Amino acid sequence: MSEELSRWYRGRMVFGPFPPFEAEEAEILEREIGASLPAAYRRFLEAAGGSHLEYAIDIPAGEPDSETLGFNELYRLGRGEDGDYGYGTLLGEYRGGSSGWLAAEVPLDGLLPIARNGGGDTLFLDLSPAAHGHVHAFVHGLPGWAGPRGQGLLTKIADSFDAYLDNLLIDPDMAELTWGDVAGDDPAAPWRRTVEAWLDTGLPGWRDEPWANDRPRLPG
């Protein structure tokens, strides 16, 4: 397991830890799902298949009433740290989806779950021949007092995993929370410098925001 804090891929910062890519595990997964992994997603796994991708995307894409949501918890190729295909692994999530709550909400035939967020919203790759590699998102419905989306929604958000990455953005609320966790650290601390690089690239002008300037800084 690599101890790198982050890696860059297509201009997006992927956070570790980074399990090694094992071609044998990709073959095991492909045999069970009965389809090949989309090329763009496999390239991502080979180069930067880390644990978190702290970005968001508009859902439904291009709609005036879209919401900005992220799917930051990436599922892992191969076995988990406990040595099993369990929670948080691609194969474990694929196996569990057919018998879990998700099956009651989403027609899972031909879909491979690849990421989730803390609210249980899930990101999928389409493995069907006609739409191989398309990226879909399932988001839960909200109670009436919380917003206009009363029912769960499954929607396509990108034609490929590369296109999905290219459309990601840093949500300003997440930026504020993340910076608040490191603002008081030593300016030379590796994690703080990592967060600064993430913000500098994905949210230009963030240093001028009030939340970036209202916390005491350690001398640099």
Side-chain angles (χ1 to χ4, degrees):
M1 183 78 69
S2 171
E3 295 183 359
E4 296 170 85
L5 292 177
S6 64
R7 293 177 184 174
W8 289 103
Y9 188 81
R10 292 186 70 88
R12 301 294 183 263
M13 180 178 281
V14 187
F15 295 100
F18 297 93
F21 176 83
E22 298 181 40
E24 180 182 359
E25 289 291 356
E27 293 168 2
I28 291 171
L29 176 62
E30 288 175 331
R31 282 198 298 270
E32 179 143 347
I33 63 181
S36 61
L37 291 173
Y41 182 62
R42 184 181 176 113
R43 290 194 298 268
F44 170 77
L45 292 177
E46 291 174 346
S51 300
H52 288 83
L53 194 59
E54 297 292 348
Y55 295 88
I57 194 167
D58 290 336
I59 298 175
E63 296 295 329
D65 59 347
S66 63
E67 299 176 72
T68 302
L69 296 171
F71 303 87
N72 61 321
E73 300 176 23
L74 300 172
Y75 296 157
R76 172 176 172 166
L77 176 66
R79 301 174 187 271
E81 294 182 1
D82 58 1
D84 295 327
Y85 297 113
Y87 177 86
T89 69
L90 288 166
L91 190 50
E93 297 292 341
Y94 176 77
R95 289 172 173 173
S98 61
S99 59
W101 64 265
L102 198 55
E105 299 277 358
V106 182
L108 292 174
D109 289 346
L111 295 180
L112 174 67
I114 61 170
R116 67 158 60 90
N117 60 27
D121 302 324
T122 305
L123 193 70
F124 296 93
L125 285 177
D126 196 328
L127 303 179
S128 66
H132 193 259
H134 288 185
V135 181
H136 302 270
F138 172 76
V139 294
H140 288 281
L142 299 172
W145 56 266
R149 181 171 34 82
Q151 295 183 335
L153 172 69
L154 178 68
T155 180
K156 189 185 90 169
I157 57 175
D159 288 335
S160 70
F161 192 74
D162 281 350
Y164 168 71
L165 293 175
D166 293 345
N167 288 330
L168 292 177
L169 53 87
I170 294 179
D171 178 66
D173 291 338
M174 176 58 69
E176 181 176 356
L177 288 171
T178 305
W179 179 247
D181 289 338
V182 302
D185 294 351
D186 185 331
W191 181 239
R192 173 170 160 159
R193 293 176 66 88
T194 297
V195 170
E196 287 180 325
W198 170 66
L199 291 169
D200 286 339
T201 302
L203 197 65
W206 73 273
R207 294 176 186 272
D208 297 326
E209 294 291 337
W211 51 261
N213 295 282
D214 62 1
R215 297 176 185 274
R217 308 292 184 86
L218 296 176

